[in-house]
Amino acid sequence: MATSTLDLDYEFLPYFKVYKNGHVERLLGIDAIPPGIDSQFGVSSKDISNIVPNSEVYVRIYLPINCKNKKLPLVIYFHGGGFCMFTPSSSLYHNYLNTLVSKSRVIAISVHYRRLPEHPIHVAYEDSWQVLQWVFSHCNGDGPEPWLNEHANFARVFLSGDSAGANIAHNMAMTVGSVDPELMIDILGVALIHPYFWGSDPIGSEGLYPDKKAGVDRMWSFVCPSNPDNDDPRVNLIAKGAPSLMSLGCHRVLICVAEKDILKDRGRAYYEALGRSGWMRVVEIHETQGEDHVFHLHDLDSQKSKDLMKNLAHFFNRERTHFL
């Protein structure tokens, strides 16, 4: 039966509609680009599935074509989209990862985790953790994927993501800091781009933008109906009772915020909370003036996008001694 407004069950605009027959109609990020060789940027990519058995989880791996036998920093990237939109094959992210790999000279893994509304939020975190363990199964050079065995420098592994993906990256770093060291998961740094963090009580300039605030307020209650409080520690890192950031499992953090993004004050609060927590590593913050949430994904050629990319490339390629 063709979907129509007559058999609509519910909708979460502007993201998707769910029909009574169970069909999910996503409204954004539905295009798909296959992996392959991007001659413009000199990057090759391929998809790897069967990482999480009996699931749609996969990763897209990006490798500079002319890396020869070099070992490169490894960036594990979690895409944004409110935990419900986009995949690594979406043009927005495929083009961004090609650019990131070309400009930063890294090998990158873009993670496709299972999304809402078909799957509850905890599945996205669990899928991401399983992918992280799969990646580190290559740390001794004998894993199932040759590109990682041959080209990934496991002394220089980074987590990164934008928006909801940055939220996942942070939560993965928190998990790394609390697991058995024998798992051999060592994260050098985390780069969070316009991270999705929130809370029940407004901070900074959030109250000045009631329309934007209302939209963000309803996000977590939809994302996690079993615990709809915006002070869930996965989204409000500074809430009362949230785990101490002192256990963050990496050596350096870069937080990127945008002046017009309503989430910017949460990024700044995260920066300040890390400094107060007793986490004895290095945290830095970069703010792009005059821009809004994930502006760079929509215009990779703008000067401000290029400046952001340069900051990320420097972060990924800085000598390890400067991280410690």
Side-chain angles (χ1 to χ4, degrees), residues 74-78 109 111 131-132 135-136 157-160 187:
L74 172 60
V75 177
I76 303 169
Y77 192 87
F78 304 95
I109 297 175
V111 180
V131 168
L132 199 56
V135 170
F136 274 89
V157 179
F158 298 85
L159 304 181
S160 187
I187 303 298

Side-chain angles (χ1 to χ4, degrees), residues 167-275:
N167 177 288
I168 292 175
H170 161 77
N171 280 286
M172 292 304 99
M174 290 295 290
T175 302
V176 169
S178 63
V179 299
D180 190 332
E182 291 186 3
L183 285 178
M184 298 179 64
I185 298 179
D186 183 19
I187 303 298
L188 181 54
V190 176
L192 306 178
I193 306 168
H194 309 164
Y196 166 55
F197 302 133
W198 201 239
S200 296
D201 297 324
I203 63 172
S205 61
E206 292 170 358
L208 301 178
Y209 306 97
D211 291 342
K212 284 186 175 182
K213 182 180 180 299
V216 183
D217 276 343
R218 73 187 183 111
M219 174 62 76
W220 187 258
S221 62
F222 170 78
V223 165
C224 189
S226 63
N227 187 24
D229 188 346
N230 275 313
D231 291 327
D232 184 305
R234 291 171 294 185
V235 70
N236 187 353
L237 318 178
I238 59 176
K240 183 178 180 180
S244 172
L245 294 176
M246 188 168 60
S247 63
L248 192 70
C250 63
H251 300 277
R252 191 176 187 94
V253 174
L254 171 64
I255 305 162
C256 301
V257 298
E259 180 189 15
K260 295 183 177 180
D261 185 2
I262 194 169
L263 299 178
K264 71 174 182 180
D265 291 310
R266 298 291 167 171
R268 287 197 168 278
Y270 179 67
Y271 168 77
E272 294 166 359
L274 264 182

